[in-house]
Amino acid sequence: MSDLKLAIILGSTRPGRNGEAVANWVLAKAKERANADYELIDLLDYPLPHLDEGVPASRGTYAGEHTKAWSAKIKEFDGYVFVTPEYNHSTSGVLKNAIDYLYAEWNNKAAAFVSYGSLGGTRAIEHLRAISSELQLAHVRQQLSLSLLTDFENFSVFKPSAIHDHAASVLFGQLESWAGALKSVRS
């Protein structure tokens, strides 16, 4: 068992979402590894209203119990794999909202990205990279971009191509390395 704790954050709450199958596949791949403990966080379990905190997250003074619970959960981890759909050339609103609720909880930790969409969700990842940089969340180079055309049957049944197995291994390796290195920055 490792002392490195990483979260896989499922960034879609849409009914009939494809993200649940993707996140479960990512978790299964992560569980094959021995260098870190991975946990799936489903945003359905953290129903955050549209940002309702009166004070900017950078101050770290939260009024809402939902914010305090979200903060406590995110603080537990050394890094994150964000699983995101691509909606309108960006990430989902629910994921952006969940990220925006916090600030220091993300700082000096590592992030990796898994996306899905008609073009693999790459534009969603590009937005998440910019957001992560502002939050002092170090993002790794490797990403997984899953196509609704080739990695889903009938656009809804997830059947990832075997080519993603190696990319997933590289993604986890990079994330674990960066998350481990950044622990010393936070201590």
Side-chain angles (χ1 to χ4, degrees):
M1 181 172 275
S2 171
D3 68 339
L4 197 58
K5 204 168 170 196
L6 302 171
I8 297 165
I9 299 177
L10 172 49
S12 174
T13 57
R14 178 181 255 177
R17 63 193 172 162
N18 287 326
E20 188 169 9
V22 174
N24 285 328
W25 177 81
V26 171
L27 180 61
K29 292 290 178 192
K31 293 285 187 182
E32 294 172 3
R33 303 181 62 81
N35 299 334
D37 292 322
Y38 287 84
E39 179 180 330
L40 179 60
I41 298 175
D42 189 337
L43 291 182
L44 276 175
D45 298 329
Y46 293 88
L48 299 165
H50 191 71
L51 190 57
D52 67 347
E53 290 286 337
V55 176
S58 59
R59 288 220 184 127
T61 55
Y62 305 127
E65 291 304 315
H66 53 276
T67 310
K68 292 173 186 175
W70 180 236
S71 170
K73 188 59 171 172
I74 293 305
K75 278 182 191 176
E76 293 178 19
F77 299 97
D78 301 303
Y80 313 92
V81 178
F82 292 98
V83 176
T84 183
E86 183 175 305
Y87 296 154
N88 300 318
H89 291 215
S90 191
T91 191
S92 66
V94 70
L95 180 56
K96 176 68 165 82
N97 188 54
I99 292 169
D100 287 347
Y101 258 91
L102 308 175
Y103 180 73
E105 295 84 348
W106 305 116
N107 294 172
N108 297 313
K109 295 181 181 179
F113 308 104
V114 176
S115 62
Y116 57 95
S118 58
L119 296 175
T122 56
R123 297 169 295 200
I125 289 176
E126 289 308 308
H127 285 181
L128 286 171
R129 287 186 186 285
I131 293 162
S132 296
S133 294
E134 178 60 24
L135 295 172
Q136 301 178 58
L137 187 56
H139 42 96
V140 301
R141 180 182 184 277
Q142 184 66 50
Q143 65 188 41
L144 293 175
S145 297
L146 305 162
S147 170
L148 288 174
L149 302 173
T150 58
D151 294 306
F152 291 82
E153 185 177 280
N154 298 319
F155 304 102
S156 61
V157 178
F158 186 51
K159 294 190 174 184
S161 170
I163 195 168
H164 299 301
D165 291 343
H166 176 70
S169 180
V170 172
L171 179 141
F172 294 130
Q174 290 178 358
L175 180 64
E176 291 163 5
S177 292
W178 278 95
L182 286 166
K183 281 184 92 154
S184 64
V185 173
R186 291 192 315 276
S187 56

